[in-house]
Amino acid sequence: MTWRVWAPKVKRVELVLIDGDRRRNVPMRSEGDGYFAHSEGGVPEGQRYAYRLGGGAERPDPCSRWQPDGVHRPSAVVFPGKFVWTDQGWRGVPREDLVFYELHVGTFTAEGTFDAIIPRLPELLDLGVTAIEIMPVAQFPGARNWGYDGVHLFAPQDTYGGPEGLRRLVNACHACGLAAVLDVVYNHLGPEGNYAGEFGPYYSDRYRTAWGAALNYDGPGSDGVRDFVLDNVRHWVEEYHLDGLRLDATQSIFDVSPAHITREIKEEADRAAGPFGRPLHVIAESLLNDVRIVLPPQQGGYGLDAEWNEDFHHALIAFLTGERHGKYVDYGPAADLPRVLEKTFVLDGRYSRHRGRRWGAPARDVPGDRFVVGVQNHDHVGNRARGERLAALVGPPVQRLAASLMLLSPHLPFLFMGEEYGETNPFLFFCSFGDRGLVEAVRRGRKNDYALQGEVPDPQATLSFTASRLSWTWSDQLPRAGLRHLYRDLLAARRRWPALKDFVTRRAAPSRFSERPGVGVRSRHRTELPVRVPELVRGPAPAADGCATGGAHALQFGAARLQRRAAGGRRVPGVVPVRVPCVRPRTGVILRPVTTRSRDPA
């Protein structure tokens, strides 16, 4: 067993081996360039250890793989090779087939653990999800946190189940046919339990993020910081068999080096995944509306697999809800919807009132499967004052419209846990810091940073965490069951219809079929069909106008069919189903909100 640590700020480092109250201090040998090492045999798994820098206080390992006693306490030895993987036949999911499902481990189930997620995986697979996206799990202070305050980037959160729990979850995902993507934070480290700065120049003296000091990727001593992050990328791929990484807030990863660190992250991830014989997806959260993130290095880009397109969400929500505060001031007209479907960005060099300057650049001919779009995510919901989900803001017809636009769009769909059945429990911002001064700063910040409207729940309160748990119920509730059927059937359409696999040929325009606003989405064959908030019905379609029925599908208005599906196929009194002609696999649809002739609970 060899310990190795980068600590260029000091001239000597001691390894402290801990057995209960007993300490054994071992001087580490210098390897040059700020690295110190020590080798020793007979080390048991779980052995606690720490470092003493220049004779100072004990500090946990910045590269600790396990923090079973929290962020401030000593680290523990773990042997990843002891885990027995059974995913040798797993070949991953191609980028064009990715359907993301974002979940927060602590609130996805009542238990709040990696293991508790596993029994729900078959239901996600049945829904049509192909990849779970796990919010950050790097060890954070306490037991309640979104994960973006992690300080031990190599150590899965101990209250979630630690290293072995995460391995069991990924192994189970692969066993049932799901990819596992992890959200990682490489722009900053959390504010509590963070001792990296005592070891080396981890932080930039030129840049800052909205959450504190930026990591140092291009200043003096940055080579060691870059190695630290690239080691972390390799760690997640090799030791946890992950299928992808989502890079948080890449607009706050500052680097003017000839090879941007995000490009090196992608290259390192591909090298690590090579022996597994499957694709490794690196996806960027970027608010810049800049396609350089996905362009190949030969074209001056960073070569990542995909980037988030927040314009889709902002345009859709501003149109559906009428909200115009903060970032939504730049969106709202119905014409924005066909624009994001066909052109990808609304702000593609246009003036942004929110930012007070022009923003973004055209997406040009970059295909749609290089962009991830969603109706909701943790930020969209949790950065509202009361954490309201879309189901708490709009009625069922509008929820169906939003789902249809997202799931039938020529982009990669992204679901936030619970949206598929209209979860109404909030997703609040929560934390469990131990530093009282930090707690008060977070409370003030929540009210100021996002210009939140109304009373903001206390992020430190346990109730903010427990109130955010999913109810995970839909079978006996018609609105929820119906919405879930819609998600499942439209995701089935994405798999079966050739037009929905075409991410290159995109045409969208305002509907002229009636005076009611709508959006027409046309495929390669440019055939349009006026359908309002459709639900795909599996199986042969009724013949109409000479259409061949083999392999075709029927679309029906949302509420009536959804109600009958939720009621086990029984007709619901007062609800009249409306049939439309059969739809060839390469056609378009017109989407607009609609209600049935009766009250519409679906």
Side-chain angles (χ1 to χ4, degrees), residues 452-468:
L452 301 180
Q453 308 293 315
E455 183 179 353
V456 179
D458 182 3
Q460 185 76 4
T462 303
L463 182 60
S464 295
F465 172 74
T466 56
S468 301

Side-chain angles (χ1 to χ4, degrees), residues 545-567:
D545 299 331
C547 290
T549 60
H553 296 79
L555 292 173
Q556 295 184 327
F557 290 122
R561 181 63 179 172
L562 295 177
Q563 280 189 305
R564 293 205 313 282
R565 289 285 297 273

Side-chain angles (χ1 to χ4, degrees), residues 41-322:
V43 178
E45 186 166 58
Q47 169 72 59
R48 301 304 198 265
Y49 72 96
Y51 295 122
R52 294 185 67 197
L53 306 175
E58 293 179 0
R59 295 300 187 219
D61 185 352
C63 296
S64 169
R65 283 173 163 80
W66 189 16
Q67 287 294 123
D69 306 310
V71 296
H72 298 287
R73 303 291 295 166
S75 304
V77 171
V78 63
F79 296 117
K82 293 179 61 177
F83 185 83
V84 180
W85 290 94
T86 61
D87 64 349
Q88 290 78 13
W90 172 247
R91 289 296 173 261
V93 177
R95 182 183 62 229
E96 61 270 19
D97 293 335
L98 287 170
V99 177
F100 298 97
Y101 188 94
E102 183 184 38
L103 61 87
H104 177 267
V105 176
T107 55
F108 185 64
T109 66
E111 297 85 352
T113 64
F114 296 126
D115 286 325
I117 296 170
I118 294 173
R120 295 185 176 179
L121 296 179
E123 290 175 285
L124 297 180
L125 187 68
D126 173 72
L127 181 66
V129 169
T130 62
I132 64 168
E133 183 175 303
I134 307 165
M135 288 176 65
V137 300
Q139 187 79 29
F140 52 75
R144 306 183 304 275
N145 199 285
W146 278 13
Y148 299 94
D149 295 308
V151 292
H152 291 283
L153 299 193
F154 292 75
Q157 177 69 13
D158 68 301
T159 57
Y160 290 169
E164 293 300 284
L166 180 56
R167 290 189 179 95
R168 287 191 294 268
L169 173 58
V170 175
N171 200 43
C173 284
H174 294 171
C176 75
L178 289 170
V181 176
L182 182 64
D183 193 342
V184 292
V185 183
Y186 294 146
N187 47 59
H188 77 290
L189 297 176
E192 182 178 322
N194 173 7
Y195 302 103
E198 297 180 20
F199 287 78
Y202 279 87
Y203 303 111
S204 172
D205 58 4
R206 291 186 290 169
Y207 312 118
R208 286 191 63 82
T209 74
W211 315 281
L215 290 182
N216 172 27
Y217 290 117
D218 59 8
S222 60
D223 288 351
V225 182
R226 297 173 79 95
D227 288 344
F228 169 78
V229 167
L230 297 177
D231 284 348
N232 187 251
V233 170
R234 189 166 54 251
H235 165 79
W236 291 125
V237 177
E238 294 178 347
E239 296 190 12
Y240 290 91
H241 292 201
L242 286 162
D243 300 277
L245 300 174
R246 179 263 193 190
L247 308 185
D248 176 66
T250 57
Q251 73 277 359
S252 294
I253 296 178
F254 303 105
D255 183 14
V256 295
S257 304
H260 196 278
I261 186 63
T262 56
R263 170 181 166 181
E264 293 194 348
I265 286 171
K266 171 58 179 171
E267 292 170 349
E268 189 66 31
D270 285 344
R271 280 193 293 269
F276 293 101
R278 52 179 169 80
L280 194 292
H281 308 290
V282 179
I283 298 128
E285 179 199 18
S286 174
L287 306 183
L288 300 180
N289 291 8
D290 185 350
V291 296
R292 283 181 296 179
I293 206 86
V294 297
L295 291 179
Q298 303 92 302
Q299 298 180 27
Y302 304 154
L304 273 63
D305 296 279
E307 64 176 289
W308 279 25
N309 177 15
E310 290 286 77
D311 273 17
F312 179 91
H313 167 268
H314 300 344
L316 181 61
I317 297 304
F319 173 70
L320 296 179
T321 67

